[in-house]
Amino acid sequence: MAQATFEEISASDFFYRNRDIAGFTNPTRAIFAAIRELVENSLDAAESIKVPPDIYVRLSFEGEASEETQIYKLRVEDNGCGVPPRYIPSAFGQVLYSSKYKLKQQRGTFGLGGKMAILYGQITTHEPATIISSTSPLSKIYMYKLMIDIQRNRPIILDRKVLLNKEGWRGTIVEFSLEGDYLRAMPKILEYFKQTAMVNPYANITFVDPKGRLYKFVRATTVMPDPPKETLPHPYGVDVELLQRLIQITPYNNMLEFLKNHFHRVGEITARKFLEFSEISPSKNPKKLTHEEVVRLAQMLKKFKEFLPPDASCLSPLGEELLKTGVLKELKPEFVAVHQRKPATYAGHPFIVEVAIAYGGEIPQRGGFVIYRFANRIPLLYDEASDVSVKVINAMNWRRYKVTPDMPIAIVVHICSTKVPYKTVGKEFIADRPEVRREIANGLREVARQLQRFLSRREHVDRERKRLGVFSKYLPRIAEFSTRLAGKEKPPDIEKLLRSVKRFGAEGV
Amino acid sequence: MEPKEFKSITEKRKEVLATLENFGLRIYEQMEKGIFPFIEMPSRSTENIYYDPKFRQFILGDKKVRRSTRNIRHLKPFAQLVWAALFSYELTSQRKTSTLRDVYYSAQAYEMTFKDQQESNNIITDLETILGFSREDFNIFPEERSAVFGDLTIRYTVPGYEGKTLNLTSHPDGVMIGPALTSAEFVETTADKVIAIEKGGLFTRFIEENVHKKFNAILVLTAGQAPRATRHFIRRLNRELGLPVYIFTDGDPWGMHIAMVIISGSANAAHLRDLTTPDAKWSGVWATDIVKYKLPTDPLDEIDMKRLYELQKDPRYKEDPLWQREIRTFMKIKRKAEQEAFSRYGLTYIVDEYLPAKLEETK
């Protein structure tokens, strides 16, 4: 009989073995994912201190790796909050170590992406990563050369330097080597930058690719959306695991205080009603709950109908003005309509849907709408067909709004939430939840109505212009012919007639 | 009506030019006054076309249409119309002639475009309606060609030939009824009648057989449905020279109608006068001739029959009982015969026997 062997694996080891789930499927996806994870960290870092982000990304060719893949060096610089020196090794060299275990809307959620990128680089090139950071213009600059001990999930510090900060710099620079296939990844990477610039119109983003080509996305505004506030979990969104953790850390020794202090929008009255509903004594010590009681508590929290819906202060939508700025800047349309829905919830998670519809200008006409999908200001570039937005767009009766697929139209859907309902860990598309679907549909209807108004107004103006054109084409001819026919020297004055046509035309508009 | 057609060709040209000038002046003055130029003309729609027994032709009723440049849909046709007037003025004053096809293409030189030939034809018809002159009067001729042969001396008025005379027997194929002949003045004739013939073959046969001498006649080839210039020419022969007109066509509803259009005109030309010859006679081939002369025939087909029913109700065919009788006979025998059918009795039979008999019968 074979002996089954059990071994404990570290978080690093787990992701090393299962890198698919974090988006590092193949050399093409890997290079895209690495850039994307680091850029998002940089955007978060700058926004957290309310500084308009300045991000510089350089990918340089290092050498051939195999027939189809090459070694590249990736460098990402930002002007964000920086990382205090003592946290640098863990923050960049230990998987699942993160500043992101609180509930507020952020781009990354697990603190996984950046480290996965470095881990992937180390696996494919065996080169250390260099991290340079300063947390304030007055502080020194710290430089670390790190590798990750994959089996033990610990950083290995190879070098550490402290530099003088003469220029008063603040921010973070990450540089490491990785294997990838840039040529294949290029279209998605460029699309990623363009779309990122669209929903972050207050950011400067510079990208230098391995061929030395420079792509520059210049900010169109310095106005930034209000940063999200941290919030407590809402009772409807709580599971057993989270309850266990809260019970472990709570300083309160009765259920009433436990509920009031650890949950979003639960006050004295609601807490008491709930405890009565679930037949739990208000004075019960949460730490004394048995495992079965915790499971029951989690179930009752979901069953109780009287919890107030979560408020949206923890969300940071882009806002109509910024969304409009971003769309105008990157798509250069002739017309844009934007709409932000009121906050809504699904399964206890607040979310806000923002939509935009853009028409004409530089938007291509290609027999279908161009659809841009975003979640927490991250562009979603893969699996478009499975996304809830696409399903809603396809199901809509566009003809009602005099809109046809052969028009040059782009549609933007942005969903922000403390927990975006992704269908997969790869964060590529959003699940079809009825609450989300309804919000997207209502938002689209609003902007579609605005587009319809624009189109019919434009049609009217067009018609007027054509009308004027006919008059100014034929009246002078009639004047000329009749002058010659009557044997007159100078043609009659038709300016008055033309003016009256214009006045008449203007009234119609 | 009467005085107009006895005016000399030169006088008529002056009148046409003055009318065109006035038309231009009217529009010019409207624009000077800050009015959107407009014109009014009799409607040519079918409900405004009436048969007038007095004139023995179709005329237009009182219904008017107004074309105003305030109306965007009228602007382009209006400009086309003023252009056509200017073009006609230039043609007439410079004594040049043109065709409908030519009008269509000439417009492009003035950066006026017509969608198609039909559109430019309609504009010319509008101009006829407004001015009360037919397009031949302002030197726009159709492309159809018909011919004339006989002892008639004419004097040309066209540039380069002004004053030259020609006797219409000078060419054995006949002389084409084109712009130059249409505008020519009649000098003298020994003929005492006009014989109009539908088909070229018979026209040539008549010349070969000296019909013009034997019957003292001017022969006119209509070449199917007579063009307006030819109808006008026949009218002039009738009115100016006082010659009776006899028409010979095929023995079928279509031939019958060729005769009718020469006599009483067409609905399409209801806006015009001077194209009809009300006293002209249809001399054959009648349906009753088919029976009487036992001519070789073809059966009337469905379209022929349908046409007969239409003609039966046509007011022009109610003028003279002859028409109704012939229509009924066609319907009864359900046969038709061509002019050539007389060849069964020998090549000269038609000239020696049939023609004199019919001329006598329809005198």
Side-chain angles (χ1 to χ4, degrees), chain A residues 339-342 344 353 355 392 396 401 434-450:
Chain A
H339 182 61
Q340 185 187 68
R341 298 288 302 163
K342 289 213 167 59
V353 167
V355 296
V392 173
M396 249 178 75
Y401 304 97
E435 301 90 339
V436 177
R437 173 183 270 268
R438 190 172 52 237
E439 287 302 307
I440 294 173
N442 285 337
L444 285 176
R445 284 188 197 111
E446 172 59 32
V447 289
R449 270 192 294 275
Q450 291 184 38

PDB file of all heavy atoms in Angstrom, chain A residues 339-342 344 353 355 392 396 401 434-450:
ATOM      1  N   HIS A 339     -23.065  59.292 -17.051  1.00  0.00           N
ATOM      2  CA  HIS A 339     -24.075  59.208 -15.997  1.00  0.00           C
ATOM      3  C   HIS A 339     -23.550  58.336 -14.861  1.00  0.00           C
ATOM      4  O   HIS A 339     -22.977  57.283 -15.096  1.00  0.00           O
ATOM      5  CB  HIS A 339     -25.363  58.607 -16.559  1.00  0.00           C
ATOM      6  CG  HIS A 339     -26.460  58.530 -15.545  1.00  0.00           C
ATOM      7  ND1 HIS A 339     -26.977  59.648 -14.935  1.00  0.00           N
ATOM      8  CD2 HIS A 339     -27.115  57.481 -15.016  1.00  0.00           C
ATOM      9  CE1 HIS A 339     -27.916  59.283 -14.069  1.00  0.00           C
ATOM     10  NE2 HIS A 339     -28.016  57.965 -14.110  1.00  0.00           N
ATOM     11  N   GLN A 340     -23.760  58.847 -13.648  1.00  0.00           N
ATOM     12  CA  GLN A 340     -23.377  58.050 -12.487  1.00  0.00           C
ATOM     13  C   GLN A 340     -24.645  57.614 -11.779  1.00  0.00           C
ATOM     14  O   GLN A 340     -25.504  58.445 -11.459  1.00  0.00           O
ATOM     15  CB  GLN A 340     -22.519  58.893 -11.540  1.00  0.00           C
ATOM     16  CG  GLN A 340     -21.977  58.095 -10.371  1.00  0.00           C
ATOM     17  CD  GLN A 340     -21.288  58.990  -9.365  1.00  0.00           C
ATOM     18  OE1 GLN A 340     -21.910  59.801  -8.688  1.00  0.00           O
ATOM     19  NE2 GLN A 340     -19.970  58.862  -9.280  1.00  0.00           N
ATOM     20  N   ARG A 341     -24.753  56.328 -11.535  1.00  0.00           N
ATOM     21  CA  ARG A 341     -25.933  55.818 -10.834  1.00  0.00           C
ATOM     22  C   ARG A 341     -25.780  56.059  -9.340  1.00  0.00           C
ATOM     23  O   ARG A 341     -24.678  56.179  -8.820  1.00  0.00           O
ATOM     24  CB  ARG A 341     -26.093  54.308 -11.089  1.00  0.00           C
ATOM     25  CG  ARG A 341     -26.323  53.945 -12.547  1.00  0.00           C
ATOM     26  CD  ARG A 341     -27.703  54.332 -13.006  1.00  0.00           C
ATOM     27  NE  ARG A 341     -28.737  53.704 -12.206  1.00  0.00           N
ATOM     28  CZ  ARG A 341     -30.001  54.124 -12.182  1.00  0.00           C
ATOM     29  NH1 ARG A 341     -30.371  55.154 -12.897  1.00  0.00           N
ATOM     30  NH2 ARG A 341     -30.894  53.491 -11.443  1.00  0.00           N
ATOM     31  N   LYS A 342     -26.909  56.066  -8.651  1.00  0.00           N
ATOM     32  CA  LYS A 342     -26.859  56.139  -7.186  1.00  0.00           C
ATOM     33  C   LYS A 342     -26.292  54.815  -6.669  1.00  0.00           C
ATOM     34  O   LYS A 342     -26.396  53.787  -7.331  1.00  0.00           O
ATOM     35  CB  LYS A 342     -28.272  56.339  -6.656  1.00  0.00           C
ATOM     36  CG  LYS A 342     -28.827  57.709  -6.949  1.00  0.00           C
ATOM     37  CD  LYS A 342     -29.761  58.168  -5.829  1.00  0.00           C
ATOM     38  CE  LYS A 342     -30.053  59.640  -5.960  1.00  0.00           C
ATOM     39  NZ  LYS A 342     -30.677  59.967  -7.268  1.00  0.00           N
ATOM     40  N   ALA A 344     -25.750  51.290  -5.055  1.00  0.00           N
ATOM     41  CA  ALA A 344     -26.640  50.148  -4.873  1.00  0.00           C
ATOM     42  C   ALA A 344     -25.835  49.056  -4.180  1.00  0.00           C
ATOM     43  O   ALA A 344     -24.636  49.222  -3.931  1.00  0.00           O
ATOM     44  CB  ALA A 344     -27.143  49.664  -6.232  1.00  0.00           C
ATOM     45  N   VAL A 353     -22.330  52.234 -10.354  1.00  0.00           N
ATOM     46  CA  VAL A 353     -22.080  52.057 -11.783  1.00  0.00           C
ATOM     47  C   VAL A 353     -21.986  53.432 -12.432  1.00  0.00           C
ATOM     48  O   VAL A 353     -22.807  54.311 -12.167  1.00  0.00           O
ATOM     49  CB  VAL A 353     -23.209  51.233 -12.439  1.00  0.00           C
ATOM     50  CG1 VAL A 353     -23.135  51.316 -13.960  1.00  0.00           C
ATOM     51  CG2 VAL A 353     -23.132  49.786 -11.984  1.00  0.00           C
ATOM     52  N   VAL A 355     -21.497  55.144 -16.333  1.00  0.00           N
ATOM     53  CA  VAL A 355     -21.462  54.795 -17.754  1.00  0.00           C
ATOM     54  C   VAL A 355     -21.237  56.048 -18.586  1.00  0.00           C
ATOM     55  O   VAL A 355     -21.519  57.162 -18.160  1.00  0.00           O
ATOM     56  CB  VAL A 355     -22.771  54.118 -18.223  1.00  0.00           C
ATOM     57  CG1 VAL A 355     -22.982  52.799 -17.543  1.00  0.00           C
ATOM     58  CG2 VAL A 355     -23.955  55.040 -18.012  1.00  0.00           C
ATOM     59  N   VAL A 392     -25.686  43.154 -21.157  1.00  0.00           N
ATOM     60  CA  VAL A 392     -26.709  44.201 -21.052  1.00  0.00           C
ATOM     61  C   VAL A 392     -26.766  45.012 -22.346  1.00  0.00           C
ATOM     62  O   VAL A 392     -27.838  45.299 -22.880  1.00  0.00           O
ATOM     63  CB  VAL A 392     -26.422  45.129 -19.850  1.00  0.00           C
ATOM     64  CG1 VAL A 392     -27.384  46.301 -19.845  1.00  0.00           C
ATOM     65  CG2 VAL A 392     -26.528  44.344 -18.560  1.00  0.00           C
ATOM     66  N   MET A 396     -30.010  45.352 -25.046  1.00  0.00           N
ATOM     67  CA  MET A 396     -30.759  46.610 -25.091  1.00  0.00           C
ATOM     68  C   MET A 396     -31.404  46.842 -26.449  1.00  0.00           C
ATOM     69  O   MET A 396     -30.860  46.469 -27.469  1.00  0.00           O
ATOM     70  CB  MET A 396     -29.856  47.792 -24.759  1.00  0.00           C
ATOM     71  CG  MET A 396     -30.243  48.359 -23.425  1.00  0.00           C
ATOM     72  SD  MET A 396     -29.257  49.700 -22.848  1.00  0.00           S
ATOM     73  CE  MET A 396     -29.780  51.063 -23.823  1.00  0.00           C
ATOM     74  N   TYR A 401     -33.661  54.204 -29.343  1.00  0.00           N
ATOM     75  CA  TYR A 401     -32.922  55.468 -29.197  1.00  0.00           C
ATOM     76  C   TYR A 401     -32.352  55.919 -30.538  1.00  0.00           C
ATOM     77  O   TYR A 401     -31.442  56.730 -30.581  1.00  0.00           O
ATOM     78  CB  TYR A 401     -31.806  55.290 -28.163  1.00  0.00           C
ATOM     79  CG  TYR A 401     -32.329  54.814 -26.833  1.00  0.00           C
ATOM     80  CD1 TYR A 401     -32.297  53.457 -26.492  1.00  0.00           C
ATOM     81  CD2 TYR A 401     -32.884  55.705 -25.927  1.00  0.00           C
ATOM     82  CE1 TYR A 401     -32.807  53.011 -25.289  1.00  0.00           C
ATOM     83  CE2 TYR A 401     -33.400  55.273 -24.726  1.00  0.00           C
ATOM     84  CZ  TYR A 401     -33.358  53.918 -24.405  1.00  0.00           C
ATOM     85  OH  TYR A 401     -33.866  53.490 -23.218  1.00  0.00           O
ATOM     86  N   PRO A 434     -28.090  40.140 -10.959  1.00  0.00           N
ATOM     87  CA  PRO A 434     -29.249  40.956 -11.353  1.00  0.00           C
ATOM     88  C   PRO A 434     -29.145  42.409 -10.883  1.00  0.00           C
ATOM     89  O   PRO A 434     -29.539  43.310 -11.604  1.00  0.00           O
ATOM     90  CB  PRO A 434     -30.438  40.245 -10.711  1.00  0.00           C
ATOM     91  CG  PRO A 434     -29.871  39.185  -9.839  1.00  0.00           C
ATOM     92  CD  PRO A 434     -28.467  38.915 -10.265  1.00  0.00           C
ATOM     93  N   GLU A 435     -28.593  42.620  -9.654  1.00  0.00           N
ATOM     94  CA  GLU A 435     -28.525  43.997  -9.151  1.00  0.00           C
ATOM     95  C   GLU A 435     -27.606  44.836 -10.027  1.00  0.00           C
ATOM     96  O   GLU A 435     -27.879  45.994 -10.339  1.00  0.00           O
ATOM     97  CB  GLU A 435     -27.977  44.028  -7.708  1.00  0.00           C
ATOM     98  CG  GLU A 435     -28.787  43.240  -6.687  1.00  0.00           C
ATOM     99  CD  GLU A 435     -28.340  41.789  -6.552  1.00  0.00           C
ATOM    100  OE1 GLU A 435     -27.691  41.275  -7.494  1.00  0.00           O
ATOM    101  OE2 GLU A 435     -28.630  41.169  -5.514  1.00  0.00           O
ATOM    102  N   VAL A 436     -26.477  44.211 -10.415  1.00  0.00           N
ATOM    103  CA  VAL A 436     -25.490  44.918 -11.226  1.00  0.00           C
ATOM    104  C   VAL A 436     -26.056  45.160 -12.624  1.00  0.00           C
ATOM    105  O   VAL A 436     -25.960  46.249 -13.186  1.00  0.00           O
ATOM    106  CB  VAL A 436     -24.188  44.091 -11.304  1.00  0.00           C
ATOM    107  CG1 VAL A 436     -23.168  44.781 -12.199  1.00  0.00           C
ATOM    108  CG2 VAL A 436     -23.622  43.878  -9.906  1.00  0.00           C
ATOM    109  N   ARG A 437     -26.672  44.135 -13.151  1.00  0.00           N
ATOM    110  CA  ARG A 437     -27.279  44.218 -14.475  1.00  0.00           C
ATOM    111  C   ARG A 437     -28.289  45.369 -14.548  1.00  0.00           C
ATOM    112  O   ARG A 437     -28.311  46.146 -15.480  1.00  0.00           O
ATOM    113  CB  ARG A 437     -27.979  42.887 -14.777  1.00  0.00           C
ATOM    114  CG  ARG A 437     -28.793  42.852 -16.036  1.00  0.00           C
ATOM    115  CD  ARG A 437     -29.480  41.511 -16.185  1.00  0.00           C
ATOM    116  NE  ARG A 437     -28.646  40.579 -16.926  1.00  0.00           N
ATOM    117  CZ  ARG A 437     -28.716  40.416 -18.243  1.00  0.00           C
ATOM    118  NH1 ARG A 437     -29.575  41.109 -18.946  1.00  0.00           N
ATOM    119  NH2 ARG A 437     -27.937  39.577 -18.859  1.00  0.00           N
ATOM    120  N   ARG A 438     -29.117  45.474 -13.515  1.00  0.00           N
ATOM    121  CA  ARG A 438     -30.148  46.513 -13.507  1.00  0.00           C
ATOM    122  C   ARG A 438     -29.528  47.913 -13.504  1.00  0.00           C
ATOM    123  O   ARG A 438     -29.941  48.798 -14.234  1.00  0.00           O
ATOM    124  CB  ARG A 438     -31.058  46.330 -12.282  1.00  0.00           C
ATOM    125  CG  ARG A 438     -32.310  47.200 -12.314  1.00  0.00           C
ATOM    126  CD  ARG A 438     -33.257  46.847 -11.183  1.00  0.00           C
ATOM    127  NE  ARG A 438     -32.589  46.848  -9.898  1.00  0.00           N
ATOM    128  CZ  ARG A 438     -32.543  45.800  -9.074  1.00  0.00           C
ATOM    129  NH1 ARG A 438     -33.129  44.683  -9.404  1.00  0.00           N
ATOM    130  NH2 ARG A 438     -31.910  45.883  -7.909  1.00  0.00           N
ATOM    131  N   GLU A 439     -28.490  48.075 -12.674  1.00  0.00           N
ATOM    132  CA  GLU A 439     -27.849  49.384 -12.599  1.00  0.00           C
ATOM    133  C   GLU A 439     -27.209  49.765 -13.940  1.00  0.00           C
ATOM    134  O   GLU A 439     -27.305  50.901 -14.386  1.00  0.00           O
ATOM    135  CB  GLU A 439     -26.772  49.394 -11.495  1.00  0.00           C
ATOM    136  CG  GLU A 439     -27.355  49.411 -10.094  1.00  0.00           C
ATOM    137  CD  GLU A 439     -28.261  50.607  -9.869  1.00  0.00           C
ATOM    138  OE1 GLU A 439     -27.814  51.739 -10.123  1.00  0.00           O
ATOM    139  OE2 GLU A 439     -29.423  50.403  -9.477  1.00  0.00           O
ATOM    140  N   ILE A 440     -26.538  48.796 -14.571  1.00  0.00           N
ATOM    141  CA  ILE A 440     -25.892  49.084 -15.859  1.00  0.00           C
ATOM    142  C   ILE A 440     -26.946  49.453 -16.893  1.00  0.00           C
ATOM    143  O   ILE A 440     -26.821  50.439 -17.618  1.00  0.00           O
ATOM    144  CB  ILE A 440     -25.072  47.864 -16.339  1.00  0.00           C
ATOM    145  CG1 ILE A 440     -23.897  47.611 -15.382  1.00  0.00           C
ATOM    146  CG2 ILE A 440     -24.556  48.091 -17.756  1.00  0.00           C
ATOM    147  CD1 ILE A 440     -23.140  46.331 -15.667  1.00  0.00           C
ATOM    148  N   ALA A 441     -28.045  48.670 -16.905  1.00  0.00           N
ATOM    149  CA  ALA A 441     -29.094  48.912 -17.902  1.00  0.00           C
ATOM    150  C   ALA A 441     -29.694  50.302 -17.720  1.00  0.00           C
ATOM    151  O   ALA A 441     -29.866  51.064 -18.680  1.00  0.00           O
ATOM    152  CB  ALA A 441     -30.167  47.835 -17.803  1.00  0.00           C
ATOM    153  N   ASN A 442     -29.989  50.672 -16.461  1.00  0.00           N
ATOM    154  CA  ASN A 442     -30.592  51.985 -16.227  1.00  0.00           C
ATOM    155  C   ASN A 442     -29.636  53.113 -16.600  1.00  0.00           C
ATOM    156  O   ASN A 442     -30.040  54.135 -17.161  1.00  0.00           O
ATOM    157  CB  ASN A 442     -31.012  52.128 -14.762  1.00  0.00           C
ATOM    158  CG  ASN A 442     -32.276  51.313 -14.481  1.00  0.00           C
ATOM    159  OD1 ASN A 442     -33.037  51.011 -15.396  1.00  0.00           O
ATOM    160  ND2 ASN A 442     -32.474  50.939 -13.234  1.00  0.00           N
ATOM    161  N   GLY A 443     -28.359  52.902 -16.290  1.00  0.00           N
ATOM    162  CA  GLY A 443     -27.359  53.910 -16.648  1.00  0.00           C
ATOM    163  C   GLY A 443     -27.264  54.081 -18.153  1.00  0.00           C
ATOM    164  O   GLY A 443     -27.251  55.202 -18.667  1.00  0.00           O
ATOM    165  N   LEU A 444     -27.238  52.964 -18.854  1.00  0.00           N
ATOM    166  CA  LEU A 444     -27.127  53.025 -20.317  1.00  0.00           C
ATOM    167  C   LEU A 444     -28.349  53.702 -20.930  1.00  0.00           C
ATOM    168  O   LEU A 444     -28.238  54.458 -21.887  1.00  0.00           O
ATOM    169  CB  LEU A 444     -26.963  51.620 -20.894  1.00  0.00           C
ATOM    170  CG  LEU A 444     -25.575  50.988 -20.695  1.00  0.00           C
ATOM    171  CD1 LEU A 444     -25.559  49.569 -21.215  1.00  0.00           C
ATOM    172  CD2 LEU A 444     -24.498  51.819 -21.375  1.00  0.00           C
ATOM    173  N   ARG A 445     -29.524  53.420 -20.338  1.00  0.00           N
ATOM    174  CA  ARG A 445     -30.734  54.048 -20.888  1.00  0.00           C
ATOM    175  C   ARG A 445     -30.633  55.559 -20.801  1.00  0.00           C
ATOM    176  O   ARG A 445     -30.988  56.280 -21.731  1.00  0.00           O
ATOM    177  CB  ARG A 445     -31.975  53.563 -20.129  1.00  0.00           C
ATOM    178  CG  ARG A 445     -32.364  52.171 -20.548  1.00  0.00           C
ATOM    179  CD  ARG A 445     -33.707  51.745 -19.964  1.00  0.00           C
ATOM    180  NE  ARG A 445     -33.803  50.309 -20.082  1.00  0.00           N
ATOM    181  CZ  ARG A 445     -33.767  49.464 -19.053  1.00  0.00           C
ATOM    182  NH1 ARG A 445     -33.711  49.927 -17.816  1.00  0.00           N
ATOM    183  NH2 ARG A 445     -33.828  48.165 -19.253  1.00  0.00           N
ATOM    184  N   GLU A 446     -30.123  56.034 -19.664  1.00  0.00           N
ATOM    185  CA  GLU A 446     -30.005  57.479 -19.476  1.00  0.00           C
ATOM    186  C   GLU A 446     -29.080  58.098 -20.527  1.00  0.00           C
ATOM    187  O   GLU A 446     -29.433  59.073 -21.183  1.00  0.00           O
ATOM    188  CB  GLU A 446     -29.512  57.774 -18.044  1.00  0.00           C
ATOM    189  CG  GLU A 446     -29.156  59.228 -17.777  1.00  0.00           C
ATOM    190  CD  GLU A 446     -30.322  60.188 -18.016  1.00  0.00           C
ATOM    191  OE1 GLU A 446     -31.466  59.769 -17.788  1.00  0.00           O
ATOM    192  OE2 GLU A 446     -30.061  61.330 -18.438  1.00  0.00           O
ATOM    193  N   VAL A 447     -27.879  57.520 -20.706  1.00  0.00           N
ATOM    194  CA  VAL A 447     -26.959  58.137 -21.670  1.00  0.00           C
ATOM    195  C   VAL A 447     -27.441  57.934 -23.103  1.00  0.00           C
ATOM    196  O   VAL A 447     -27.213  58.785 -23.960  1.00  0.00           O
ATOM    197  CB  VAL A 447     -25.496  57.638 -21.502  1.00  0.00           C
ATOM    198  CG1 VAL A 447     -24.894  58.193 -20.233  1.00  0.00           C
ATOM    199  CG2 VAL A 447     -25.400  56.138 -21.580  1.00  0.00           C
ATOM    200  N   ALA A 448     -28.141  56.824 -23.335  1.00  0.00           N
ATOM    201  CA  ALA A 448     -28.675  56.594 -24.686  1.00  0.00           C
ATOM    202  C   ALA A 448     -29.696  57.664 -25.029  1.00  0.00           C
ATOM    203  O   ALA A 448     -29.758  58.150 -26.153  1.00  0.00           O
ATOM    204  CB  ALA A 448     -29.298  55.200 -24.786  1.00  0.00           C
ATOM    205  N   ARG A 449     -30.512  58.048 -24.030  1.00  0.00           N
ATOM    206  CA  ARG A 449     -31.495  59.125 -24.262  1.00  0.00           C
ATOM    207  C   ARG A 449     -30.782  60.426 -24.622  1.00  0.00           C
ATOM    208  O   ARG A 449     -31.191  61.140 -25.530  1.00  0.00           O
ATOM    209  CB  ARG A 449     -32.358  59.335 -23.010  1.00  0.00           C
ATOM    210  CG  ARG A 449     -33.616  58.483 -22.987  1.00  0.00           C
ATOM    211  CD  ARG A 449     -34.564  58.940 -21.899  1.00  0.00           C
ATOM    212  NE  ARG A 449     -34.010  58.720 -20.558  1.00  0.00           N
ATOM    213  CZ  ARG A 449     -34.111  57.569 -19.886  1.00  0.00           C
ATOM    214  NH1 ARG A 449     -34.739  56.544 -20.419  1.00  0.00           N
ATOM    215  NH2 ARG A 449     -33.589  57.447 -18.688  1.00  0.00           N
ATOM    216  N   GLN A 450     -29.689  60.699 -23.891  1.00  0.00           N
ATOM    217  CA  GLN A 450     -28.944  61.934 -24.190  1.00  0.00           C
ATOM    218  C   GLN A 450     -28.352  61.876 -25.594  1.00  0.00           C
ATOM    219  O   GLN A 450     -28.341  62.875 -26.312  1.00  0.00           O
ATOM    220  CB  GLN A 450     -27.836  62.144 -23.163  1.00  0.00           C
ATOM    221  CG  GLN A 450     -28.366  62.476 -21.785  1.00  0.00           C
ATOM    222  CD  GLN A 450     -27.242  62.769 -20.808  1.00  0.00           C
ATOM    223  OE1 GLN A 450     -26.243  63.384 -21.156  1.00  0.00           O
ATOM    224  NE2 GLN A 450     -27.396  62.322 -19.575  1.00  0.00           N
TER     225      GLN A 450
END
